[in-house]
């Protein structure tokens, strides 16, 4: 929000279909609007390949996902995990940043795409 984004701190579930709320869903930590698009956002404490399935769900349903790590070292590790697992993820766009970079100012999102 400090960077000028409209942020929803309790965005609710992202559903495959409003008529079928019990089907595929993603539950992001928060969401923000960038260029008119809602970006489901995960604030990642854990840097591990175990969370790939969580990312896949958001990419499958929205085609986009933002990941915010606590510090730059964790962001770099997360980027490597994304790179290594990119062929296991649905096609989409992923934005990466860290709270450390945001607080330092002058930051920008790093964008990666998943090819599948």
């Amino acid at each position: 929000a400090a960077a000028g984004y409209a942020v929803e701190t309790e965005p609710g579930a992202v559903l495959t279909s409003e008529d079928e709320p019990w089907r595929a869903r993603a539950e992001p930590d928060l969401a923000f609007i960038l260029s008119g698009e809602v970006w489901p956002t995960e604030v990642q404490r854990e840097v591990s390949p175990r969370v790939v399935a969580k990312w896949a769900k958001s990419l499958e349903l929205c085609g986009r996902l933002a990941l915010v790590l606590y510090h730059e070292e964790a962001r770099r590790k997360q980027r490597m995990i994304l790179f290594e697992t990119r062929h296991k993820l649905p096609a989409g766009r992923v934005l990466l940043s860290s709270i450390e970079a945001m607080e330092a100012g002058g930051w920008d999102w790093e964008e990666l795409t998943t090819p599948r």
Side-chain angles (χ1 to χ4, degrees):
Y5 295 101
V7 176
E8 175 60 52
T9 58
E10 295 183 33
V14 178
L15 306 173
T16 299
S17 168
E18 293 292 326
D19 298 339
E20 301 177 7
W22 57 89
R23 306 247 6 226
R25 63 190 294 136
E27 297 185 25
D29 294 329
L30 52 95
F32 68 89
I33 298 173
L34 177 64
S35 301
E37 295 180 309
V38 175
W39 283 79
T41 306
E42 296 292 338
V43 180
Q44 293 295 129
R45 290 177 179 91
E46 178 182 7
V47 178
S48 167
R50 295 183 309 173
V51 295
V52 171
K54 190 174 186 179
W55 303 337
K57 192 64 72 172
S58 287
L59 285 170
E60 177 186 330
L61 296 172
C62 297
R64 58 193 167 275
L65 172 65
L67 298 173
V68 179
L69 289 297
Y70 280 86
H71 49 80
E72 280 297 291
E73 181 181 342
R75 184 196 57 79
R76 286 188 293 275
K77 288 179 183 177
Q78 197 78 64
R79 183 171 152 269
M80 185 56 89
I81 292 169
L82 258 172
F83 180 76
E84 291 170 354
T85 60
R86 69 191 179 281
H87 296 292
K88 297 177 183 176
L89 294 167
R93 296 168 54 205
V94 179
L95 300 180
L96 286 168
S97 192
S98 73
I99 293 172
E100 179 180 62
M102 290 175 178
E103 289 176 343
W107 64 277
D108 203 2
W109 294 103
E110 176 182 11
E111 184 170 345
L112 305 169
T113 56
T114 53
R116 196 170 74 146

